[in-house]
Amino acid sequence: MQRTMKLITSKEILPLLLLVIFTFAALALPTKIAIVLTGIIFVIFSLLKPFESLLYLLIYVAVRPYLIEINPGLKLIGDIITFTLLIRILWTYKFNLKHLLSFKWFELAFFAFLLFGSVIGWVNGVGIMAIIFQVRTFIIMYFVYYFISRSKLPSNWASKFLWTGVALGWLLSIHGLIEKISLRQWLLPEYWKYMPLSAENMVRIYGLSGNPNSLALLMMFSIIAVIVLKLNDSTKQYTKLLNSSFVLFVGILILTFSRGTLIAAAALAIVYILLSKQFVLIKNLVIGSLAAFLLIYLPVNGAVKFVQTMGVEAPQGTVGTLKDRFGQTFEDKNIERMTSNGRVFYLKKGFEIWKDYPITGSGFGTFGGAATISYGSPLYQKYGIDLSIYFENKIYSDNQYIQIITETGSIGVILFAAFLLGMLALFVKTRKSRFSQFMIALWLSTCISGMFYNIWELKVYTLIFFMILGIYAVHQQWYKHTLPTK
């Protein structure tokens, strides 16, 4: 306990903790004052402490849905930090275009994909603001990678990044447990308390991220952070803290009942263990997961049942099991729902639209992406997609690949494949490195996640992915002209 408190109150961690406390305190401010005050504070903080601001950004993005649901005046903090850092790196390089415009092939493919999808969307009648919104969604977290990969990282920054992941895991876990045991009555915004959820979703923890799948992906990152720290803790001084963190985080991951994330996490673990031959991890993962099931999952469900017996009103289905959750996938009613207005329906409609635009696709802002959530689509009525049957009249394609196929056609698929495979080729090139082996596993896990989520539009995930990729780029010296950013 003493070591933990010493770590929390250290001069390196305390400023970050105080900034997080300030953010939650700012929820009480009037919206306009919150916008101005946070804008000034985070511009200054990002200029003076760029790498600490990145650690804060990790926490902010994870809890942003909760913050802006209570006070919309906090919605610009992430953009303020990101663009301040981007301007800072441009200034650091003194706007030297030779260095600033030095890119790897996967980056060039990514830019080409964004440009192509934008042009086709505009040609097919999508508004310019919708196109900008979609491009921003794809590229905003790449800017974080751009800053990290072109900087000289402080010697202990990667370790601080991992410890921030652990701290974030505890924040999300404690809130998630309160949410679950209180039957979604405590520490939630009013709208979230009474948000209509199906019986299947009522069993899931939504957390500060406001989405069980996003929460699950965040917990997966926190679990990875714990494992890496354990492997590098030669003094064993944080063993108890890391072991308890692992058990808690796995327990919360289970309670999200996120099938897609559990599959992606299993793939990541299997591939990394096979590539690195660290078979001892199997024992640690099995024992830790069993402990999480016995010490977190079962007691929490028991506590929920006890609270219900005390007369606390809650929708039906607040207690469920993993067997129920995975079994529901193959129930007739769920198969029918997926076919009529769910994932299977999106696939069918996506290919229906693609048949009319096989080469170029229909363009950004036309099918199942971030832009269509905010701006609608000029094609939905034509193809019989009735938004009125969906919650808040919004749909995601829930599959990154069908969105890319539909919106950018064969050309876009080739460009996006070049982006993904370009990264993989760089990882494979140095595959004997443990870090490279992890990146291969993470890459595959991310690709699998794309089958269940619009993963490259999900900021809570792309931020983490691009931060890790940025650290890897510095480690591998991809950009040898990097300059220190003090």
Side-chain angles (χ1 to χ4, degrees):
M1 180 62 71
Q2 289 181 342
R3 289 195 183 99
T4 302
M5 290 304 299
K6 186 177 179 181
L7 178 67
I8 293 173
T9 57
S10 67
K11 65 179 182 179
E12 295 180 334
I13 301 298
L14 187 58
L16 186 63
L17 177 61
L18 293 175
L19 209 56
V20 172
I21 293 173
F22 161 76
T23 304
F24 280 93
L27 291 173
L29 295 173
T31 300
K32 292 182 179 179
I33 294 178
I35 291 175
V36 175
L37 183 60
T38 56
I40 294 172
I41 288 175
F42 285 103
V43 165
I44 295 173
F45 185 71
S46 300
L47 288 173
L48 297 178
K49 298 287 185 179
F51 296 103
E52 285 74 10
S53 70
L54 281 172
L55 300 179
Y56 171 84
L57 184 63
L58 178 62
I59 298 173
Y60 168 78
V61 170
V63 303
R64 182 178 183 271
Y66 178 88
L67 297 174
I68 64 174
E69 182 63 39
I70 297 175
N71 190 337
L74 303 180
K75 66 181 179 180
L76 298 180
I77 294 176
D79 286 352
I80 289 169
I81 293 174
T82 303
F83 286 106
T84 300
L85 292 179
L86 184 61
I87 293 171
R88 198 181 194 284
I89 199 71
L90 297 177
W91 180 260
T92 300
Y93 276 95
K94 296 180 171 48
F95 295 91
N96 185 322
L97 296 182
K98 179 181 178 182
H99 290 163
L100 290 171
L101 300 181
S102 175
F103 299 107
K104 294 295 182 181
W105 280 107
F106 77 88
E107 295 172 275
L108 296 175
F110 186 51
F111 301 152
F113 166 76
L114 296 179
L115 178 61
F116 180 76
S118 300
V119 171
I120 300 303
W122 181 74
V123 169
N124 287 328
V126 178
I128 189 67
M129 293 307 298
I131 293 173
I132 292 173
F133 189 88
Q134 184 64 51
V135 171
R136 176 192 173 279
T137 300
F138 274 124
I139 204 171
I140 187 68
M141 294 309 171
Y142 165 81
F143 291 145
V144 173
Y145 164 78
Y146 185 87
F147 175 83
I148 294 175
S149 63
R150 272 73 172 181
S151 301
K152 184 177 181 180
L153 298 178
S155 58
N156 64 337
W157 189 80
S159 177
K160 291 169 68 175
F161 169 68
L162 294 170
W163 278 113
T164 302
V166 175
L168 176 61
W170 275 92
L171 174 64
L172 296 173
S173 297
I174 292 172
H175 179 272
L177 290 175
I178 294 172
E179 173 199 333
K180 179 71 174 178
I181 295 173
S182 71
L183 308 182
R184 292 182 59 82
Q185 298 303 301
W186 291 354
L187 300 184
L188 289 181
E190 288 300 308
Y191 178 70
W192 287 13
K193 288 182 183 179
Y194 304 106
M195 184 167 56
L197 297 174
S198 65
E200 291 86 354
N201 282 328
M202 275 303 301
V203 305
R204 312 176 71 186
I205 292 180
Y206 277 58
L208 293 169
S209 58
N211 183 289
N213 296 323
S214 296
L215 178 60
L217 290 166
L218 287 164
M219 297 316 300
M220 184 176 78
F221 162 65
S222 293
I223 292 167
I224 291 170
V226 168
I227 293 173
V228 176
L229 286 169
K230 279 195 66 176
L231 291 175
N232 291 280
D233 184 21
S234 57
T235 63
K236 306 299 180 183
Q237 61 178 324
Y238 296 112
T239 298
K240 291 182 179 179
L241 172 61
L242 292 173
N243 285 342
S244 59
S245 298
F246 182 85
V247 171
L248 176 62
F249 299 166
V250 173
I252 298 299
L253 174 60
I254 296 172
L255 287 167
T256 64
F257 293 97
S258 181
R259 293 168 295 205
T261 303
L262 288 172
I263 293 171
L268 189 156
I270 292 170
V271 172
Y272 177 72
I273 290 171
L274 290 176
L275 289 176
S276 65
K277 295 182 173 57
Q278 292 198 65
F279 297 108
V280 67
L281 285 177
I282 297 176
K283 176 184 175 181
N284 295 335
L285 290 172
V286 170
I287 294 175
S289 298
L290 181 60
F293 183 81
L294 296 174
L295 300 177
I296 304 296
Y297 174 78
L298 291 180
V300 168
N301 274 342
V304 171
K305 292 178 180 179
F306 175 74
V307 170
Q308 287 179 314
T309 63
M310 297 176 66
V312 178
E313 294 185 6
Q316 183 180 5
T318 50
V319 178
T321 66
L322 281 172
K323 180 181 179 181
D324 294 336
R325 178 66 178 160
F326 279 86
Q328 289 164 359
T329 306
F330 305 103
E331 290 181 357
D332 291 341
K333 65 177 182 178
N334 283 314
I335 293 175
E336 181 181 352
R337 184 170 58 193
M338 286 190 292
T339 303
S340 61
N341 60 13
R343 280 185 165 91
V344 176
F345 173 79
Y346 304 152
L347 287 171
K348 290 168 61 178
K349 282 297 177 181
F351 280 115
E352 182 182 339
I353 297 172
W354 174 78
K355 287 180 181 178
D356 293 336
Y357 307 89
I359 305 300
T360 64
S362 52
F364 284 168
T366 58
F367 181 76
T372 61
I373 293 290
S374 299
Y375 294 91
S377 168
L379 300 183
Y380 282 174
Q381 186 174 358
K382 175 182 176 181
Y383 288 93
I385 299 176
D386 182 10
L387 293 180
S388 65
I389 64 175
Y390 295 97
F391 179 62
E392 294 186 339
N393 300 324
K394 298 175 181 178
I395 63 167
Y396 262 126
S397 61
D398 283 334
N399 183 309
Q400 191 72 75
Y401 304 112
I402 191 59
Q403 182 206 354
I404 291 171
I405 291 169
T406 304
E407 291 193 333
T408 60
S410 301
I411 294 176
V413 168
I414 292 172
L415 291 173
F416 202 77
F419 163 63
L420 293 177
L421 295 176
M423 274 192 288
L424 179 62
L426 291 171
F427 303 151
V428 172
K429 188 176 180 180
T430 54
R431 59 187 176 275
K432 292 184 179 180
S433 159
R434 286 280 171 83
F435 202 166
S436 296
Q437 292 162 357
F438 170 76
M439 292 305 298
I440 293 171
L442 181 63
W443 178 90
L444 179 62
S445 176
T446 304
C447 291
I448 291 173
S449 295
M451 298 171 62
F452 309 107
Y453 318 122
N454 294 52
I455 196 69
W456 291 102
E457 297 180 77
L458 194 59
K459 294 181 182 65
V460 294
Y461 186 81
T462 52
L463 173 63
I464 293 169
F465 182 89
F466 277 125
M467 289 181 82
I468 296 173
L469 183 63
I471 295 171
Y472 180 80
V474 173
H475 184 266
Q476 295 293 325
Q477 296 184 323
W478 282 357
Y479 311 94
K480 295 182 180 179
H481 51 269
T482 52
L483 295 174
T485 307
K486 297 180 182 178

